[in-house]
Amino acid sequence: MGWKYKAGLFLIAAVVVIWVTSAEVTQDIYADYKQPFAVTYLGASLMVVYLPIAFLKDWLCSLLSRHSSKGGKDVESIDEFSGEFNSPLKYIQELELQGTLTRKDSEASLSPHAEGRPLVPRHKDDINVLKHDRKLTTREVAMCGFYIAPIWFITEYLSNAALARTSVASTTVLSSTSGLFTLFIGAFLGQDSLNVAKVVAVFVSMAGVVMTTLGKTWAADESDSGASVNGKRSLVGDLFGLLSAVSYGLFTVLLKKFAGEEGERVDVQKLFGYIGLFSLVALWWLVLPLTALGIEPKFTIPHSAKMDEVVIANGFVGSVLSDYFWALCVVWTTPLVATLGMSLTIPLAMVADMMIHGRHYSAVYILGSAQVFAGFVIANLSGWLSKKLGL
């Protein structure tokens, strides 16, 4: 477990806290400004701020690289100048050493195992592996961003539309089912492998999600039987939450596929900057068919400067900052671990509601939240468990 994997786990915890807080703020916003598309469009478009940051970083790195290479050339010229005063014996010894290495290489090349092997890869698979490991150019990063930007926008809109129609708890529970879709989409696209431990982790987590759905929750001034959050849910909101989980799983796997094993193939900042640019320029028109179909209310702007500030601040923190951290979680860990890690929003939301709003939870709900956490732990230990138990 390298430092990037450990940092990814730390970022998962940070993103969980940010997402729960942002979901509560978003639902408060909808009390006065019920515009899911406007909130989604603003949050996605604000990610364009990563583009100048990424290009400034590239410029500084190239400047430092040129400076260091110039210093290296100066040192090399000094070494060559001083080498002219060395004795001829050193030059002869170097020639003898090169001759010895040449003889060893020629003998090795005549060995029966090495004889007949091509020095240059002749198979397309070898060339594809080399291409897959190289870092993507700026143009290729832009193309990847344009490909996956609609998927990310749809994911964010469906989640916000679900929050506008149902409770935070319901949306959180349904979004947590994305672990199942991430596992099977990753296996289908060849991005992740299936083993018994991973399947167990997903189904333990899914069982916890089901238990939290069936479990009861009520406030101190409400009766146990009458007032669960179920009364606040709607069929359309739950459907949007489930569809958001599907598109979330697809986006997660594709992000990992483009970024590489540890994010070595792509600059995540630049990728999300292009996603923001594409959303800003090319996805604004979606409000027209959504409004015509009655899914989205007629577009309006916030009625007060205070609401403007809240919407923009929530866009920066809940979308720009948290989505970038979440992308690093996916790249530095695995899509499955990052997705199951987001399921930790369920127990965190439960604890927050207990402490802040004085809500009570049934034993079934609490046990389900514990199972969600257990699934996250099993997913992180899947490799170790497979080796230890021979699965």
Side-chain angles (χ1 to χ4, degrees), residues 147-156 247-248 250-252 254:
Y147 288 147
I148 63 178
I151 302 175
W152 180 245
F153 191 90
I154 291 171
T155 302
E156 289 285 276
S247 57
Y248 173 90
L250 176 61
F251 180 86
T252 304
L254 291 177

Side-chain angles (χ1 to χ4, degrees), residues 2-147:
W3 72 267
K4 283 189 175 182
Y5 194 95
K6 295 177 181 177
L9 295 180
F10 174 78
L11 286 178
I12 285 175
V15 171
V16 165
V17 174
I18 294 174
W19 276 10
V20 171
T21 306
S22 178
E24 294 287 351
V25 173
T26 300
Q27 199 157 57
D28 289 341
I29 291 173
Y30 288 157
D32 298 320
Y33 183 65
K34 197 171 184 178
Q35 296 284 335
F37 183 88
V39 173
T40 303
Y41 180 75
L42 177 65
S45 300
L46 283 174
M47 289 196 295
V48 76
V49 300
Y50 283 126
L51 272 185
I53 296 174
F55 283 118
L56 179 62
K57 181 180 66 176
D58 289 347
W59 179 76
L60 290 175
C61 289
S62 63
L63 188 65
L64 292 174
S65 178
R66 285 198 300 267
H67 181 72
S68 61
S69 62
K70 183 179 178 182
K73 288 180 180 179
D74 293 340
V75 173
E76 185 179 349
S77 62
I78 293 173
D79 291 339
E80 290 177 355
F81 179 75
S82 62
E84 293 177 358
F85 296 97
N86 291 338
S87 64
L89 180 60
K90 183 177 179 180
Y91 179 71
I92 296 173
Q93 289 175 346
E94 290 178 354
L95 286 178
E96 290 178 352
L97 180 61
Q98 291 176 2
T100 304
L101 293 174
T102 303
R103 286 195 300 272
K104 287 183 178 179
D105 292 340
S106 62
E107 290 173 1
S109 63
L110 294 176
S111 64
H113 295 286
E115 187 175 359
R117 285 184 181 173
L119 296 177
V120 179
R122 293 179 300 181
H123 299 288
K124 292 182 179 180
D125 294 339
D126 298 334
I127 297 174
N128 290 335
V129 169
L130 293 175
K131 287 183 178 179
H132 184 74
D133 291 337
R134 69 176 177 82
K135 192 174 181 66
L136 299 182
T137 63
T138 299
R139 182 178 180 276
E140 290 172 332
V141 172
M143 293 301 297
C144 292
F146 293 158
Y147 288 147

Side-chain angles (χ1 to χ4, degrees), residues 1 5 9 12 195-206 334 336-344 347 368-386:
M1 186 183 294
Y5 194 95
L9 295 180
I12 285 175
N195 58 41
V196 176
K198 289 181 180 179
V199 174
V200 169
V202 170
F203 280 99
V204 166
S205 183
M206 292 303 101
T334 66
L336 181 61
V337 169
T339 302
L340 294 183
M342 294 304 106
S343 301
L344 297 178
S369 297
Q371 283 197 205
V372 169
F373 182 77
F376 175 68
V377 173
I378 295 172
N380 276 280
L381 300 177
S382 60
W384 180 81
L385 290 172
S386 298

Side-chain angles (χ1 to χ4, degrees), residues 64-366:
L64 292 174
S65 178
R66 285 198 300 267
H67 181 72
S68 61
S69 62
K70 183 179 178 182
K73 288 180 180 179
D74 293 340
V75 173
E76 185 179 349
S77 62
I78 293 173
D79 291 339
E80 290 177 355
F81 179 75
S82 62
E84 293 177 358
F85 296 97
N86 291 338
S87 64
L89 180 60
K90 183 177 179 180
Y91 179 71
I92 296 173
Q93 289 175 346
E94 290 178 354
L95 286 178
E96 290 178 352
L97 180 61
Q98 291 176 2
T100 304
L101 293 174
T102 303
R103 286 195 300 272
K104 287 183 178 179
D105 292 340
S106 62
E107 290 173 1
S109 63
L110 294 176
S111 64
H113 295 286
E115 187 175 359
R117 285 184 181 173
L119 296 177
V120 179
R122 293 179 300 181
H123 299 288
K124 292 182 179 180
D125 294 339
D126 298 334
I127 297 174
N128 290 335
V129 169
L130 293 175
K131 287 183 178 179
H132 184 74
D133 291 337
R134 69 176 177 82
K135 192 174 181 66
L136 299 182
T137 63
T138 299
R139 182 178 180 276
E140 290 172 332
V141 172
M143 293 301 297
C144 292
F146 293 158
Y147 288 147
I148 63 178
I151 302 175
W152 180 245
F153 191 90
I154 291 171
T155 302
E156 289 285 276
Y157 175 74
L158 289 172
S159 178
N160 285 325
L163 281 172
R165 291 167 172 82
T166 184
S167 65
V168 174
S170 178
T171 303
T172 301
V173 168
L174 289 168
S175 297
S176 299
T177 61
S178 57
L180 184 64
F181 302 112
T182 301
L183 178 65
F184 292 112
I185 292 174
F188 178 75
L189 297 179
Q191 189 58 38
D192 204 351
S193 59
L194 287 176
N195 58 41
V196 176
K198 289 181 180 179
V199 174
V200 169
V202 170
F203 280 99
V204 166
S205 183
M206 292 303 101
V209 169
V210 172
M211 293 178 71
T212 55
T213 304
L214 299 176
K216 293 182 179 181
T217 170
W218 65 97
D221 56 349
E222 296 172 346
S223 63
D224 184 3
S225 59
S228 176
V229 181
N230 296 331
K232 196 178 178 182
R233 294 175 182 172
S234 71
L235 181 61
V236 176
D238 290 347
L239 178 62
F240 282 164
L242 187 61
L243 292 175
S244 175
V246 177
S247 57
Y248 173 90
L250 176 61
F251 180 86
T252 304
V253 174
L254 291 177
L255 176 63
K256 183 70 173 183
K257 194 175 185 67
F258 288 141
E261 188 62 29
E262 292 185 351
E264 69 279 357
R265 298 186 66 229
V266 68
D267 185 341
V268 178
Q269 275 188 345
K270 194 176 293 184
L271 177 64
F272 267 66
Y274 280 118
I275 291 176
L277 178 63
F278 185 83
S279 300
L280 176 66
V281 174
L283 298 180
W284 59 268
W285 59 271
L286 290 176
V287 69
L288 301 177
L290 290 173
T291 304
L293 292 173
I295 299 174
E296 187 73 16
K298 185 179 179 180
F299 176 76
T300 58
I301 60 174
H303 303 296
S304 64
K306 183 178 179 180
M307 182 60 65
D308 285 338
E309 294 172 359
V310 173
V311 171
I312 294 174
N314 187 57
F316 268 110
V317 178
S319 293
V320 177
L321 187 63
S322 68
D323 291 347
Y324 174 64
F325 284 170
W326 168 80
L328 292 180
C329 296
V330 175
V331 171
W332 287 353
T333 60
T334 66
L336 181 61
V337 169
T339 302
L340 294 183
M342 294 304 106
S343 301
L344 297 178
T345 53
I346 295 177
L348 181 64
M350 181 189 71
V351 173
D353 280 345
M354 290 175 65
M355 296 179 64
I356 299 174
H357 303 295
R359 298 197 70 85
H360 299 279
Y361 293 88
S362 65
V364 174
Y365 196 105
I366 296 174

